[in-house]
């Protein structure tokens, strides 16, 4: 159904003047790339299983953290040319106690941070667990990326609410641990890195209150106007509005879901959203039945964080980030499929 929507609105887009490069991008982003990730993830699941895949993220988290540390060290000491391998036109802002940077790895870190804060118990060794959580928190606070900073509290909320044995006492102990960790982090960041954590958090809250920044607000207003003009039916893929965010690709925007409604209409956007909606409903049904384990919580935590991030970031349209949206859905659907098969065999 999603592919059908893509093909239909690709034709509509061409009729409305979509350029040839947009046609190629849409075919790759909405058809070929999801298929590729589906087969890769499903193959990995059959070879290794979901537990090994979850534990692999411990190694990936450490690699991500190291890459961020190396990026900052090289940029500050040797300039932007030294980090061209990480990102073109890279930038780091470390003025007046603030810290922010542009790195592709931050997209993946949203999933990883949300996943580990939602289910740190997937890491058997406590010292390793503490190191990874603290490192991810430092990466989030020094990134300047609102979606990444939001991933840690969202993940913690999932841990407190969805993990087994939920109780007020558990929540109280959890907040005590978080408070101690926060004071420790503020001290480390202030003394050793000269970063003002409270100012970073204040700027983060200010940006959240402004709806993600002025650029995103401008995009949203222009796209809502476009939706009104096409009566919510859709103007086609590859077609933009008067507000231009990227002169190279003027039909692409950061507020992806609103842009999707403009491109394919409310019904087409619902079809795109349907697999995620089914995933949410099935997950919560399993939660109500008491069938959610730490691995389920791990992938749900990562998924929820990147899904929230997709409202103000184009990660879902990036080949290198689409795995974050497909992986949890495939794992849960396959688990339910196996469960049905076993019940049918017993019956």
């Amino acid at each position: 159904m999603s592919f059908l929507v893509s093909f239909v609105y690709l034709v509509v887009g061409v009729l409305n003047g979509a350029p040839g490069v947009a046609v190629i991008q849409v075919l790759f982003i909405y058809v070929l790339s999801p298929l590729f990730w589906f087969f890769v993830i499903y193959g990995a699941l059959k070879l290794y299983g979901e537990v090994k895949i979850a534990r692999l993220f411990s190694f990936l988290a450490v690699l991500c953290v190291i890459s961020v540390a190396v990026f900052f060290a090289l940029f500050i000491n040797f300039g932007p040319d030294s980090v061209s391998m990480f990102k073109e036109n890279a930038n780091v802002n470390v003025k007046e106690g603030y810290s922010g940077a542009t790195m592709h790895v931050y997209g993946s870190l949203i999933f990883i941070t949300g996943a580990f804060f939602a289910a740190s118990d997937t890491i058997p060794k406590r010292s390793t667990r503490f190191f990874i959580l603290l490192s991810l928190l430092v990466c989030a606070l020094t990134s300047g990326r609102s979606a990444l900073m939001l991933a840690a509290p969202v993940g913690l909320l999932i841990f407190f609410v969805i993990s087994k044995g939920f109780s007020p006492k558990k929540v109280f102990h959890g907040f005590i641990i978080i408070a101690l960790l926060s004071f420790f982090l503020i001290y480390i960041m202030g003394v050793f890195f000269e970063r003002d954590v409270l100012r970073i958090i204040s700027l983060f809250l200010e940006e959240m209150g402004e709806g993600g920044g002025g650029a995103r607000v401008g995009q949203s207003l222009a796209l809502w106007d476009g939706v009104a003009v096409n009566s919510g039916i859709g103007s086609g893929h590859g077609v933009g509005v008067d507000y231009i965010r990227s002169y190279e690709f003027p039909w692409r925007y950061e507020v992806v879901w609103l842009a999707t409604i403009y491109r394919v209409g409310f019904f087409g956007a619902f079809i795109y959203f349907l697999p995620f909606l089914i995933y949410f409903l099935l997950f919560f049904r399993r939660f109500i039945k008491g069938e959610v384990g730490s691995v389920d919580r791990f992938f749900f935590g990562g998924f929820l964080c990147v899904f929230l991030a997709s409202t103000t970031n184009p990660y879902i349209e990036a080949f290198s980030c689409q795995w974050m949206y497909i992986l949890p859905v495939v794992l849960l659907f396959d688990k339910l499929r196996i469960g049905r098969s076993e019940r049918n065999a017993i019956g």
Side-chain angles (χ1 to χ4, degrees), residues 7 16 25 54 66-67 87 131 137 146 189 196-197 204 213 216 236 242 247 249 292 302 319 323 326 335 341:
F7 285 123
N16 286 333
Q25 279 195 5
I66 291 174
S67 72
K87 191 180 188 304
F131 169 77
L137 198 54
S146 298
M189 294 283 286
D196 188 346
V197 175
F204 159 69
R216 291 179 176 86
D242 292 337
Y247 285 95
F249 306 119
V292 172
F319 169 74
W323 64 267
I326 299 173
K335 179 179 292 187
S341 300

Side-chain angles (χ1 to χ4, degrees), residues 21-248:
V21 65
V23 174
I24 296 172
Q25 279 195 5
V26 170
L27 285 173
F28 182 79
I29 292 171
Y30 286 88
V31 180
L32 298 179
S33 178
L35 275 176
F36 169 83
W37 281 118
F38 173 82
F39 287 118
V40 168
I41 291 168
Y42 190 72
L45 175 62
K46 293 304 164 188
L47 283 173
Y48 305 110
E50 63 176 10
V51 175
K52 285 187 178 180
I53 293 176
R55 289 181 177 173
L56 173 65
F57 277 96
S58 300
F59 174 70
L60 296 177
V62 172
L63 286 183
C64 290
V65 168
I66 291 174
S67 72
V68 172
V70 170
F71 179 89
F72 270 84
L74 289 175
F75 188 96
I76 292 171
N77 291 290
F78 303 103
D81 291 339
S82 64
V83 294
S84 58
M85 72 176 98
F86 293 98
K87 191 180 188 304
E88 294 181 10
N89 303 318
N91 186 36
V92 171
N93 182 0
V94 289
K95 296 179 179 178
E96 299 177 358
Y98 174 77
S99 180
T102 54
M103 289 188 71
H104 291 303
V105 75
Y106 286 144
S108 300
L109 277 171
I110 295 172
F111 181 95
I112 292 171
T113 301
F116 277 114
F117 274 87
S120 60
D121 45 336
T122 55
I123 307 173
K125 198 172 181 180
R126 288 191 176 184
S127 58
T128 304
R129 188 185 308 172
F130 178 80
F131 169 77
I132 288 179
L133 291 178
L134 185 62
S135 299
L136 290 174
L137 198 54
V138 170
C139 280
L141 290 172
T142 57
S143 69
R145 311 295 295 180
S146 298
L148 180 52
M149 284 189 272
L150 189 62
V154 169
L156 280 174
L157 181 63
I158 292 170
F159 173 76
F160 288 136
V161 174
I162 296 182
S163 60
K164 293 181 179 179
F166 172 74
S167 66
K169 183 178 180 181
K170 179 181 177 181
V171 173
F172 176 74
H173 288 163
F175 278 116
I176 293 296
I177 294 172
I178 293 170
L180 293 174
L181 181 64
S182 299
F183 282 120
F184 176 71
L185 184 63
I186 290 171
Y187 176 79
I188 294 294
M189 294 283 286
V191 173
F192 294 98
F193 300 101
E194 298 182 355
R195 303 275 75 81
D196 188 346
V197 175
L198 297 179
R199 182 170 184 269
I200 292 172
I201 294 174
S202 175
L203 292 172
F204 159 69
L205 294 174
E206 183 179 329
E207 183 177 343
M208 292 292 291
E210 294 175 353
R216 291 179 176 86
V217 173
Q219 294 174 56
S220 299
L221 293 174
L223 287 167
W224 275 124
D225 288 340
V227 171
V229 169
N230 65 37
S231 301
I233 298 174
S235 297
H237 275 297
V239 179
V241 293
D242 292 337
Y243 188 101
I244 297 177
R245 180 57 174 164
S246 168
Y247 285 95
E248 185 178 5

Side-chain angles (χ1 to χ4, degrees), residues 260-279:
T260 302
I261 295 173
Y262 168 73
R263 295 165 184 159
V264 301
F266 284 101
F267 180 74
F270 176 74
I271 295 299
Y272 283 152
F273 174 66
L274 193 56
F276 305 132
L277 175 62
I278 295 172
Y279 171 76

Side-chain angles (χ1 to χ4, degrees), residues 311-324:
T311 59
T312 55
N313 293 277
Y315 296 125
I316 201 169
E317 292 187 334
F319 169 74
S320 59
C321 293
Q322 282 185 336
W323 64 267
M324 302 186 293

